[in-house]
Amino acid sequence: YNILKKNIMHLNNFSICSFYKFSYLNDLEKLKKKLINFLKPNDIKGIVLISKEGVNGTLSAKNENLNNLKEFLEYTLKIKFQFKIQKFNQHSFLKTKVKIKSEIIKLNQDDINPKKVTGKNLTPKEWNQIIKNDKEYVILDVRNKYESKIGTFKKAVKTELSNFTEFPHWIKEHEHKLKNKKVAMFCTGGIRCEKASTYMIKKGYRDVYHLEGGIFNYLSNNLKSNNNWEGECFVFDDRVSINKKLDKGKYSQCFACRNPISEFDKKSLNYKKGVSCPHCFNKTSEKKKKGFEEREKQLFIAKKKGIN
């Protein structure tokens, strides 16, 4: 009984905290030092991107450090965030990284500014109404192909992007389908939608909407009923995917190509742990495969010796 009680107490004793904001930031090097000097000593891991246009981050911390983390971020960055929190039983990242970037979400469009204009936010409840009565709307999944492959909303149009910078080209190619339509888009946490909607407004689209807080916020508010999400949601940390209950999903990840892989994929002759999977076997050279094999070998040796 005592062992069982101890194990239960250790379940989900970490929090994964996602946040972003388009805001004016200065003294980026100074901010970077402040962030690193707080995060590392407090055993908070993950990645934070900062730029002149704002901040974008996902961090994992012990539950007892969560409130201090949130207070520190808002005080240091002078920003009020809509934090998205999920529970987990360990760190979801191996390292702590703070990077200065030209964009916190890269679109390569210099003439747009989400701080000034963006699409209209839709609550999860309003989003469900749009899915139910979608004749006036085109529902766009603006995530990458490998993300939407394992889960998306009912009736969503998948943009099938390799990366977000392809979005403007996709809009140009599908302009005939979007003209005179209301466009409602979604992504994982909301940041891509904000920038995508700004771009579309710049291009003359009038009725542009996006799911407030993204899929994370939707799943947090629709656990019992009216859930129009199908499948799992890809996440950019060691969990790989989460299910409707925000628990770790069933997918692993291929080290070679970063695609999510299922148990079925692992039965393929083209799957070799850490080396290849059905998605990339024919896309990587033998030289690269040998490099991945050597990495797996070193990981195995390190694990055997108890080295992290």
Side-chain angles (χ1 to χ4, degrees), residues 43-81:
D43 188 33
I44 298 169
K45 299 180 180 182
I47 185 164
V48 180
L49 306 180
I50 55 175
S51 81
K52 289 183 178 180
E53 72 169 1
V55 60
N56 179 21
T58 304
L59 297 165
S60 65
K62 289 184 178 178
N63 290 335
E64 58 261 34
N65 291 335
L66 182 61
N67 286 335
N68 287 340
L69 170 62
K70 288 156 72 173
E71 288 174 8
F72 168 80
L73 290 170
E74 293 191 332
Y75 176 80
T76 304
L77 297 165
K78 305 293 186 289
I79 294 172
K80 191 72 176 173
F81 291 107

Side-chain angles (χ1 to χ4, degrees), residues 9 15 17 45 71 86 102 137 144 160 178 180 213 224 226 233 247 253 280 298:
M9 286 175 67
S15 291
C17 178
K45 299 180 180 182
E71 288 174 8
Q86 294 134 51
S102 58
Y137 293 85
N144 297 331
E160 300 284 331
L178 302 173
N180 300 322
K224 293 181 179 179
N226 297 322
C233 176
D247 295 327
Q253 194 169 28
C280 68
Q298 294 303 322

Side-chain angles (χ1 to χ4, degrees), residues 176-207:
H176 60 288
K177 295 179 182 178
L178 302 173
K179 196 174 181 181
N180 300 322
K181 284 277 191 177
K182 294 179 180 178
V183 177
M185 58 184 77
F186 67 92
C187 58
T188 310
I191 187 170
R192 280 178 278 189
C193 291
E194 280 206 43
K195 207 161 199 181
S197 66
T198 302
Y199 173 79
M200 292 190 73
I201 291 167
K202 180 77 176 180
K203 290 298 177 182
Y205 291 87
R206 292 183 179 180
D207 296 307

Side-chain angles (χ1 to χ4, degrees), residues 9-144:
M9 286 175 67
H10 282 80
L11 287 175
N12 296 332
N13 59 346
F14 283 80
S15 291
I16 300 162
C17 178
S18 300
F19 55 95
Y20 79 88
K21 189 76 173 181
F22 289 102
S23 180
Y24 296 102
L25 292 182
N26 295 307
D27 297 323
L28 298 181
E29 286 291 349
K30 188 177 178 181
L31 279 176
K32 179 179 177 179
K33 287 179 183 177
K34 282 185 178 180
L35 287 164
I36 289 172
N37 289 339
F38 176 84
L39 298 175
K40 286 191 174 182
N42 285 285
D43 188 33
I44 298 169
K45 299 180 180 182
I47 185 164
V48 180
L49 306 180
I50 55 175
S51 81
K52 289 183 178 180
E53 72 169 1
V55 60
N56 179 21
T58 304
L59 297 165
S60 65
K62 289 184 178 178
N63 290 335
E64 58 261 34
N65 291 335
L66 182 61
N67 286 335
N68 287 340
L69 170 62
K70 288 156 72 173
E71 288 174 8
F72 168 80
L73 290 170
E74 293 191 332
Y75 176 80
T76 304
L77 297 165
K78 305 293 186 289
I79 294 172
K80 191 72 176 173
F81 291 107
Q82 181 191 39
F83 292 105
K84 291 172 278 291
I85 308 296
Q86 294 134 51
K87 300 298 181 182
F88 198 38
N89 58 4
Q90 62 186 37
H91 271 304
S92 60
F93 294 93
L94 294 176
K95 298 179 181 179
T96 306
K97 296 178 182 179
V98 179
K99 295 183 178 182
I100 296 173
K101 295 284 189 178
S102 58
E103 300 178 75
I104 54 172
I105 185 70
K106 193 173 182 181
L107 191 60
N108 288 337
Q109 300 292 319
D110 296 328
D111 58 343
I112 64 170
N113 188 351
K115 295 184 289 289
K116 290 185 176 180
V117 61
T118 187
K120 300 170 187 174
N121 268 325
L122 294 170
T123 65
K125 187 176 180 180
E126 291 169 332
W127 185 259
N128 278 339
Q129 288 301 314
I130 282 177
I131 292 175
K132 188 177 179 181
N133 306 297
D134 68 328
K135 291 181 180 179
E136 295 180 36
Y137 293 85
V138 176
I139 300 167
L140 281 189
D141 186 340
V142 302
R143 299 172 303 150
N144 297 331

Side-chain angles (χ1 to χ4, degrees), residues 32 97 149 172 223 227 276 301:
K32 179 179 177 179
K97 296 178 182 179
K149 182 180 179 181
K172 188 176 180 180
L223 294 179
N227 198 311
S276 65
I301 292 170

